[in-house]
Amino acid sequence: MSKKLGVIFDSTDRIIRNKDVQDTSTKISPRSSKYKSQHKKPEQQASLLDFVKPKPKSQRQIKANKLKKTHLTITRSSYIVYKRKGKTRLDSKKKITRLKRSVRVYRTSKKAEREVAEQELKGVPGVALDINTKVIPVEQQVQNLSLSDTPTPKDDLQAKAVHSIHSRRFRSYCDNCTRPRLKELTIQLLKDLDRFQKRAFAKNEIKARAHPRLILGVREALARLRINKVKLLFLATDCEICPGESGLDETIEGLKFQCQQQQVPYCFPLQRRELSYALQKRAQISCVAILDFDGANATYADLLNEIQDARAEYKRRTAS
């Protein structure tokens, strides 16, 4: 009986040892189905770290991650044109504003006058054509001048209106001098407000569109002036010449009149190309209206003082 027990004990002990060896050589896979796919290869083994839950993030970390994700670089301008809702016509005609139409008409008339003058002077050098198409030498025209050809009082008034300091780059509608300090403050204010506006668009575009910092263009500036939203107005010093009713000259005078009525400060600090360069735009800008200058209050206050000094200097230079 003792021999039988010894044989059974030896066989059971052998079986147990073989099982232990097999268990250590084979892969120990977790029972949870969530982690089965992580240990498909035999050399990979599960550990207790697979079942440890990560520490939940705090609200401060979540907000920081959101700001990192939404801090995007805006390649295009902040004024992104989206597809309009409603009907889409195949042959849609772009609407031309009244101001743009008057500018185009003036351009075509000037071009036609220039072409006519070139055709008249193309024949013989040093010779001009009379109204009745008679060839008259230039020397004879100078001799034929009489007292009747002297300028009229109206011409004198027009000549006095345009001072010697005015030029093509600094037109007669400007009423302040362009000083270096004025240019520097204007560029600094425009860059700061443009940066604030782009940052607001990156965070929440809907709110940024509802509360813009600055707007561009004569039409947008007129619309905001009607509802008393403009805090400061910048106009270019070299806007295109366009006289006549609803022309650019009359529009600029209307902008100045509305600013004076509402006591809104305005100035003429930069040229069109300089305004577009300050705002990183390709097209030339003739008008910029500031609607909200929070964050740049010191620059705004210094700019107002500099505008008064520049206007006083202009009056002093044009008085003589």
Side-chain angles (χ1 to χ4, degrees):
M1 196 67 183
S2 59
K3 288 182 180 180
K4 275 188 178 183
L5 287 172
V7 170
I8 292 168
F9 180 77
D10 292 338
S11 61
T12 52
D13 189 30
R14 199 181 301 113
I15 290 166
I16 290 168
R17 286 178 181 176
N18 291 335
K19 279 186 177 180
D20 292 340
V21 171
Q22 288 177 2
D23 291 341
T24 54
S25 62
T26 57
K27 180 184 72 170
I28 302 173
S29 61
R31 292 185 179 181
S32 176
S33 60
K34 182 179 179 181
Y35 301 98
K36 280 183 180 179
S37 60
Q38 296 184 5
H39 310 286
K40 289 182 179 179
K41 296 181 181 179
E43 61 269 11
Q44 292 179 345
Q45 292 185 2
S47 63
L48 292 175
L49 294 174
D50 296 333
F51 298 94
V52 175
K53 290 184 178 180
K55 187 179 178 181
K57 293 182 180 180
S58 62
Q59 292 293 329
R60 185 178 294 177
Q61 291 177 346
I62 292 169
K63 287 182 179 179
N65 291 336
K66 283 183 179 179
L67 289 174
K68 285 181 182 179
K69 290 179 182 178
T70 55
H71 189 67
L72 305 174
T73 56
I74 301 173
T75 54
R76 292 182 63 188
S77 65
S78 57
Y79 301 95
I80 303 170
V81 180
Y82 289 97
K83 187 178 179 182
R84 298 177 66 183
K85 294 181 180 180
K87 295 180 181 178
T88 55
R89 303 183 185 276
L90 294 175
D91 300 327
S92 60
K93 294 182 180 179
K94 190 176 180 180
K95 290 184 179 179
I96 303 172
T97 59
R98 192 177 179 184
L99 178 61
K100 186 68 177 178
R101 194 180 295 113
S102 63
V103 170
R104 286 183 178 179
V105 168
Y106 182 75
R107 284 178 184 171
T108 52
S109 63
K110 291 291 288 183
K111 188 177 180 181
E113 290 177 3
R114 202 180 303 116
E115 289 176 355
V116 170
E118 287 177 358
Q119 288 177 1
E120 289 179 352
L121 298 173
K122 195 177 285 185
V124 182
V127 173
L129 289 178
D130 195 7
I131 300 173
N132 300 324
T133 66
K134 293 180 181 179
V135 179
I136 304 172
V138 178
E139 297 176 357
Q140 188 176 351
Q141 286 183 354
V142 175
Q143 293 175 0
N144 292 338
L145 287 174
S146 60
L147 295 174
S148 61
D149 297 331
T150 55
T152 58
K154 292 183 178 179
D155 297 336
D156 294 338
L157 291 173
Q158 291 178 358
K160 288 180 181 178
V162 180
H163 199 266
S164 59
I165 65 171
H166 294 293
S167 63
R168 189 176 179 182
R169 294 183 178 180
F170 187 74
R171 297 222 17 234
S172 57
Y173 59 79
C174 302
D175 56 3
N176 64 269
C177 294
T178 55
R179 307 171 74 181
R181 179 62 178 166
L182 181 64
K183 289 185 177 183
E184 182 184 348
L185 290 172
T186 303
I187 292 171
Q188 184 180 350
L189 181 65
L190 290 175
K191 284 185 176 180
D192 290 344
L193 295 181
D194 188 46
R195 189 177 76 253
F196 296 156
Q197 184 158 295
K198 286 180 179 178
R199 186 179 63 184
F201 265 78
K203 286 183 179 179
N204 191 336
E205 187 176 348
I206 297 173
K207 288 185 178 179
R209 284 186 177 278
H211 305 284
R213 291 299 194 100
L214 53 89
I215 53 169
L216 313 178
V218 175
R219 186 178 63 178
E220 294 292 331
L222 279 170
R224 296 308 195 285
L225 275 170
R226 292 191 192 102
I227 57 177
N228 300 327
K229 291 288 183 181
V230 179
K231 301 294 187 299
L232 177 62
L233 188 69
F234 293 125
L235 289 165
T237 60
D238 60 340
C239 288
E240 190 174 353
I241 299 172
C242 183
E245 188 178 358
S246 70
L248 192 56
D249 294 348
E250 184 180 342
T251 306
I252 291 173
E253 292 298 329
L255 280 169
K256 290 169 61 177
F257 179 74
Q258 286 198 13
C259 289
Q260 292 167 3
Q261 291 293 320
Q262 299 177 15
Q263 296 182 356
V264 175
Y266 66 93
C267 68
F268 307 89
L270 301 169
Q271 299 176 15
R272 288 180 293 172
R273 193 173 296 278
E274 291 172 340
L275 283 172
S276 61
Y277 183 78
L279 294 171
Q280 298 178 358
K281 306 289 182 184
R282 289 185 178 180
Q284 295 182 353
I285 300 170
S286 58
C287 181
V288 181
I290 306 298
L291 307 182
D292 185 9
F293 53 85
D294 286 342
N297 297 328
T299 309
Y300 179 78
D302 294 342
L303 185 60
L304 291 183
N305 295 330
E306 192 64 30
I307 289 170
Q308 292 179 359
D309 296 342
R311 194 159 285 134
E313 182 181 353
Y314 175 83
K315 289 180 180 178
R316 186 172 64 253
R317 293 181 66 178
T318 54
S320 55

